[in-house]
Amino acid sequence: MIILGGSASSDLAEKVAKEVGENVGRLEIKRFPDGDKYVRILDDVKGQDVAVIQSLYHKPDQHIYADLHIFELLMIVDTLRDLGAKTITVVAPYLAYARQDSRFYPGEALSSQVIARLLEDVGTTKFLTVDCHLHRLGDVAKIFKIPAQNLSAMPLLGKYALKTIHPKKPFVIGPDEEAEQWAATVAKELDAEHTVFQKKRVRKEGATESKVEITATEVDLKGRDAVFADDIISTGDTLAKATRICKKMGARRIYALCTHPVLADGALMRVKSAGIQKVIGTDTIPSIVSQVSVAPVIAAALKS
Ligand code: R5P
């Protein structure tokens, strides 16, 4: 298998290749002076199984938006097909545009469908992602016609938390109902109980931002460490509100595990000043909290 890393995930691709026991393939990616991207595949891919790793993340504070990562990925896959690759597996550890998986107001674009169609149209034969945010549909396979699989970083995050923070009488919490699956997985790793809070998002028609209201489930956190498990920390608003509630409930220390540290708009500061001791994230989005690599999970899926 040839493993290629797009410019959003070259470090992660190196790690995956090492786990798989292959060298990472050679790509040349540069920009023309006007910003257009140039892509060249330097390996002979004819008749080969190729995996392309490119996380489709935004980093608004650094003016990085997924759109360019997406276009680069489409060019790579299209070229692989033209050059005769036998199979093309796209691994997008963070799948941007997944959250709009339903039409909440008439006339809205279903961005999750658009991205899936684009990837299929250029020649992707299989799609892999990690802890995908498709809350209404539940399964990434529902937006693709090709085989598509959602992997999870939560077992790795749970193991890492156990080793590094040694939580005392931990209670794992999903900040909203949709986080039940992640809280349950982390709780298993920590041999702990878990629960979920209830979250209501109120978005007025025409507004891009929504207001979050969190309601706690009655649990006894006195003297115990609370460990949040969620897929994304974006603005940190959800986590900050849930953290303040845990503090009022008497939690001793409060930690947060998340797969995708988007960390937009001062999120880290927001959650820390609410009382979070430590945030542990993965390298689906490179950031200062990306202490856990999803490479072993991706490598295992590619080998299977
Ligand atoms: C959504 O429901 C997700 O699971 C996260 O809880 C959400 O994306 C976090 O967003 P924010 O950090 O902006 O509150």
Side-chain angles (χ1 to χ4, degrees), residues 82-244:
D82 278 356
L83 298 177
K86 188 167 119 207
T87 63
I88 307 167
T89 301
V90 164
V91 184
Y94 178 72
L95 178 61
Y97 292 106
R99 67 180 69 234
Q100 193 76 31
D101 60 355
S102 171
R103 211 162 255 143
F104 305 100
Y105 294 103
E108 287 182 338
L110 293 177
S111 57
S112 57
Q113 248 182 48
V114 176
I115 185 105
R117 265 189 226 139
L118 286 170
L119 286 168
E120 284 168 348
D121 286 354
V122 289
T124 307
T125 56
K126 185 175 178 186
F127 180 80
L128 300 176
T129 188
V130 182
D131 291 326
C132 187
H133 191 111
L134 280 165
H135 285 159
R136 268 65 44 186
L137 299 180
D139 186 355
V140 72
K142 289 195 183 147
I143 57 166
F144 284 93
K145 293 190 191 78
I146 54 170
Q149 193 186 347
N150 185 37
L151 312 171
S152 183
M154 288 297 160
L156 287 181
L157 282 166
K159 284 187 180 73
Y160 183 86
L162 191 63
K163 250 188 2 213
T164 56
I165 60 179
H166 308 291
K168 186 184 159 205
K169 291 195 272 170
F171 209 114
V172 182
I173 302 169
D176 55 35
E177 296 92 327
E178 289 148 342
E180 215 284 330
Q181 50 183 316
W182 300 305
T185 308
V186 169
K188 205 168 153 206
E189 296 295 336
L190 300 186
D191 194 17
E193 296 169 81
H194 77 280
T195 189
V196 291
F197 288 173
Q198 283 79 49
K199 177 162 85 180
K200 214 164 87 188
R201 277 194 187 275
V202 193
R203 176 158 69 100
K204 292 206 177 114
E205 182 154 3
T208 46
E209 300 300 322
S210 53
K211 228 178 119 229
V212 167
E213 287 164 18
I214 307 264
T215 318
T217 311
E218 271 318 307
V219 283
D220 186 8
L221 292 181
K222 279 188 210 80
R224 303 183 69 168
D225 288 347
V227 180
F228 282 107
D230 205 359
D231 58 343
I232 298 174
I233 300 175
S234 179
T235 63
D237 194 26
T238 303
L239 186 58
K241 285 186 173 138
T243 300
R244 286 197 191 94

